[in-house]
Amino acid sequence: KANYFSKYSKAPVICKLVGRKVLDGVGQPTLEVEIYCTVKNYEKRIGSTVMSCHSQMPENALPETAEADEKERNDSVNTAVEWVNESLNTMLRDLKPTDQCKVDKMLGEYFTKKAEEKKEIQKQEEEEAEAALALTSCTPSATALPAGKKAAKPGKKVSVAERTIPPAEPVESVLCGSLAIGGTSLAIAKAGATISRIPLYLHIALLKRDQDSPKEMTLPLPMVTLLNCEKSSPAKLKLLKEVMLIPPVQLSLQQGIERILDIQKEMMRLLELPGKAPQALKRMSHLGCLITGCDNLEQPLLLMQTACNNIGLELGRDMYLAINCAAHELMDYVKGKYEILTGTFKSPDEMVDMYTELINKFPFIIALIDPLRKEDRQQWNNICCALGSKCYLIAEDAATYISKLKIDQNINIPTCSGVVLKYINQTKVSDLIEITGLLDGQRHITILGSPDGESSDDSLVDLAVGLGARFIKLGGLSRGERVTKYNRLLAIEEEL
């Protein structure tokens, strides 16, 4: 009887949001959002999500920069907690958690309002500072200009470099508290899936297809990080931030992961051999992979080849490689060139030649991520002409943030084969749905990627499956917060 009457009970609605400060996988503060709903007149906790923080800190940042970054992050998490517990809690009360579009629209409007308030405050502060400056200095500011110009002497190489390479675009500012938007949107999606009694990946797929059930769902291929060539080690190579393995399509995920673990084990053995690689460091990166130093570009690739050959696998048939070059971290703006080895500099055009040679020599590399900075648009065009048919050229840092991609319908990214999307800051579930739809329409491939500061929340995997991403980039096969996601991927494979 109870079940008969439950059919007629009201649909569950949101009654409370709770935000709190928790720690991510590297012990940094981040945000957790819990959703409570009224189900059959009782308040019930339906689900929660923990956000991952994206730190743009380069590996060799100065201590004071890191300290300022930490303070900023703390403030941001505290503000986000406040937004969730106060404004958002009141604003979203009595809405259905299955109504993702409506919730995301309200979250978007709230964020825009906050961003405008911040601009107003900044404008006032600038005006006040200018007024104070005008009072203290009686000399007209125009005289300061010619004096400043004298700094660059004629014939100096610096100015040549500045002319030839476009300067770095300003970093998109992150609004303090923006985590609250992404965290709430994802928590609502999870609650919606729970209430509809379907897995999150199916809930996302239905949202993307306007409730039209997908005929078949395919898993994204994992890009598994095996090596990180450290930039600040005594070794020379600075170029390869991540060397990743991609299993062939015909293997199941389970078989692919087992094969990668075999290669990793053999790799560890090789790195421990005396005299094999003196800079081999027996350390795990926060990306969950081995950190090692190399003296040239070919060393890690040949090492991979040897490891595979030793266990009877052939690169290019039984396993493929992808490389995250993270070129934006290598630019020496004084010289106007990329420092790929200690003391070895290459211009953007020389970089294109170097990659072309590399792919011709090692055809089993099927993807390059961020081979150049986003500002080198002409060279992106060149590299796409030279290598587009041989491997994927993917923009990660080189793609502007999701919020920018959305506003700019023609997708303001360099010519490339695909984009790595990250669920961070004010990204909402509907933004991801919209962007992946745009990318699908433009024949770009979508890769869902883990941010640096990863949490043990595994919903990123459901997002990747539900959105139909081609690849998923989660780091290495160690560290709990990364392995949780591989386990979730394996569980979904079993279900499907």
Side-chain angles (χ1 to χ4, degrees):
K1 262 188 188 153
N3 284 348
Y4 173 77
F5 284 113
S6 75
K7 275 192 280 190
Y8 297 102
S9 64
K10 269 193 195 151
V13 291
I14 299 163
C15 62
K16 187 168 75 173
L17 263 67
V18 177
R20 68 167 65 91
K21 190 171 173 175
V22 293
L23 296 178
D24 70 7
V26 287
Q28 291 280 6
T30 190
L31 171 76
E32 178 182 36
V33 181
E34 287 185 322
I35 305 281
Y36 287 79
C37 289
T38 311
V39 184
K40 297 177 194 166
N41 294 333
Y42 287 101
E43 185 181 291
K44 189 178 174 190
R45 179 183 182 275
I46 297 294
S48 72
T49 190
V50 176
M51 280 299 277
S52 296
C53 267
H54 185 52
S55 82
Q56 282 272 308
M57 293 299 288
E59 285 163 36
N60 38 16
L62 297 168
E64 50 269 32
T65 319
E67 211 169 287
D69 188 65
E70 211 165 294
K71 185 189 175 305
E72 196 178 306
R73 182 180 182 141
N74 244 316
D75 293 347
S76 191
V77 174
N78 291 337
T79 306
V81 168
E82 206 175 292
W83 285 8
V84 173
N85 290 329
E86 290 169 21
S87 326
L88 301 185
N89 182 28
T90 319
M91 194 172 88
L92 302 179
R93 202 172 289 154
D94 296 336
L95 287 177
K96 291 179 187 161
T98 46
D99 206 347
Q100 190 74 39
C101 285
K102 192 171 179 182
V103 169
D104 280 351
K105 189 168 174 281
M106 291 171 82
L107 287 172
E109 285 164 2
Y110 179 79
F111 179 78
T112 309
K113 193 184 87 190
K114 285 287 183 193
E116 277 162 9
E117 280 171 19
K118 172 98 190 281
K119 265 194 202 137
E120 275 300 301
I121 293 168
Q122 275 176 334
K123 203 169 130 190
Q124 272 176 335
E125 282 172 359
E126 277 166 22
E127 280 167 7
E128 281 164 20
E130 271 172 27
L133 202 77
L135 286 173
T136 51
S137 70
C138 306
T139 48
S141 57
T143 54
L145 271 173
K149 274 190 176 163
K150 281 184 195 151
K153 284 191 185 131
K156 254 190 124 186
K157 285 216 175 99
V158 182
S159 54
V160 180
E162 278 166 8
R163 265 210 307 277
T164 54
I165 69 147
E169 287 174 18
V171 177
E172 184 176 333
S173 63
V174 175
L175 185 67
C176 185
S178 60
L179 277 175
I181 305 297
T184 303
S185 177
L186 189 52
I188 297 279
K190 284 172 109 169
T194 305
I195 276 168
S196 310
R197 299 202 175 117
I198 54 174
L200 179 59
Y201 63 84
L202 187 58
H203 182 59
I204 298 288
L206 291 170
L207 285 172
K208 185 169 177 175
R209 294 175 179 77
D210 280 335
Q211 302 307 319
D212 191 16
S213 210
K215 299 200 175 27
E216 58 164 2
M217 299 188 79
T218 50
L219 282 186
L221 276 175
M223 292 180 151
V224 183
T225 311
L226 200 62
L227 281 185
N228 171 346
C229 297
E230 197 177 43
K231 292 187 169 56
S232 54
S233 77
K236 293 195 182 105
L237 181 66
K238 291 176 179 289
L239 182 66
L240 307 185
K241 182 168 184 174
E242 295 174 82
V243 181
M244 294 168 281
L245 292 173
I246 301 175
V249 183
Q250 62 274 16
L251 293 187
S252 71
L253 181 75
Q254 181 85 42
Q255 292 166 322
I257 298 270
E258 279 167 12
R259 198 173 272 188
I260 289 168
L261 285 168
D262 288 343
I263 297 172
Q264 184 168 304
K265 211 183 284 173
E266 180 56 24
M267 197 71 164
M268 299 270 279
R269 195 185 68 78
L270 286 176
L271 288 172
E272 281 166 8
L273 289 177
K276 182 71 191 170
Q279 285 88 15
L281 310 168
K282 292 179 204 162
R283 283 201 291 132
M284 278 290 170
S285 149
H286 65 277
L287 296 169
C289 64
L290 298 163
I291 298 180
T292 181
C294 290
D295 285 323
N296 59 47
L297 190 50
E298 295 180 3
Q299 209 176 350
L301 303 173
L302 294 170
L303 200 59
M304 280 281 198
Q305 231 172 344
T306 310
C308 289
N309 291 345
N310 288 357
I311 55 172
L313 297 175
E314 189 191 323
L315 278 175
R317 187 193 68 198
D318 306 314
M319 192 57 70
Y320 298 92
L321 287 193
I323 293 172
N324 179 6
C325 309
H328 52 282
E329 294 182 11
L330 308 173
M331 179 52 83
D332 179 323
Y333 283 96
V334 179
K335 290 192 169 63
K337 291 185 173 188
Y338 292 97
E339 185 173 16
I340 55 159
L341 301 171
T342 309
T344 304
F345 296 90
K346 286 197 184 296
S347 70
D349 289 320
E350 290 168 331
M351 292 290 273
V352 176
D353 298 339
M354 179 192 72
Y355 289 126
T356 310
E357 249 171 72
L358 186 72
I359 300 293
N360 288 338
K361 190 165 184 183
F362 300 106
F364 48 74
I365 299 173
I366 59 162
L368 292 175
I369 297 177
D370 284 346
L372 298 153
R373 301 176 311 142
K374 59 176 169 245
E375 294 83 0
D376 299 323
R377 290 176 187 270
Q378 183 53 53
Q379 285 78 11
W380 272 96
N381 285 341
N382 301 349
I383 198 171
C384 283
C385 291
L387 296 174
S389 57
K390 295 178 181 174
C391 76
Y392 292 116
L393 298 155
I394 294 160
E396 181 172 343
D397 184 81
T400 31
Y401 289 99
I402 291 175
S403 50
K404 277 255 182 75
L405 288 176
K406 246 192 71 190
I407 304 160
D408 195 4
Q409 290 289 332
N410 64 356
I411 297 204
N412 175 27
I413 45 176
T415 316
C416 61
S417 344
V419 182
V420 179
L421 300 176
K422 292 184 173 150
Y423 194 86
I424 50 171
N425 304 329
Q426 69 269 26
T427 308
K428 300 181 291 295
V429 171
S430 4
D431 296 342
L432 272 189
I433 289 171
E434 192 180 326
I435 290 294
T436 50
L438 275 174
L439 290 169
D440 297 345
Q442 300 188 354
R443 295 275 173 83
H444 277 96
I445 59 166
T446 298
I447 296 152
L448 246 66
S450 267
D452 297 343
E454 196 43 292
S455 77
S456 51
D457 188 308
D458 58 12
S459 11
L460 180 77
V461 176
D462 285 77
L463 286 173
V465 175
L467 294 165
R470 177 81 61 90
F471 294 104
I472 187 166
K473 181 175 170 290
L474 300 169
L477 283 167
S478 76
R479 297 191 66 108
E481 67 277 14
R482 309 232 167 234
V483 177
T484 316
K485 296 182 179 54
Y486 286 110
N487 286 337
R488 175 68 188 140
L489 205 51
L490 289 163
I492 295 176
E493 178 175 65
E494 246 174 64
E495 278 177 40
L496 293 178

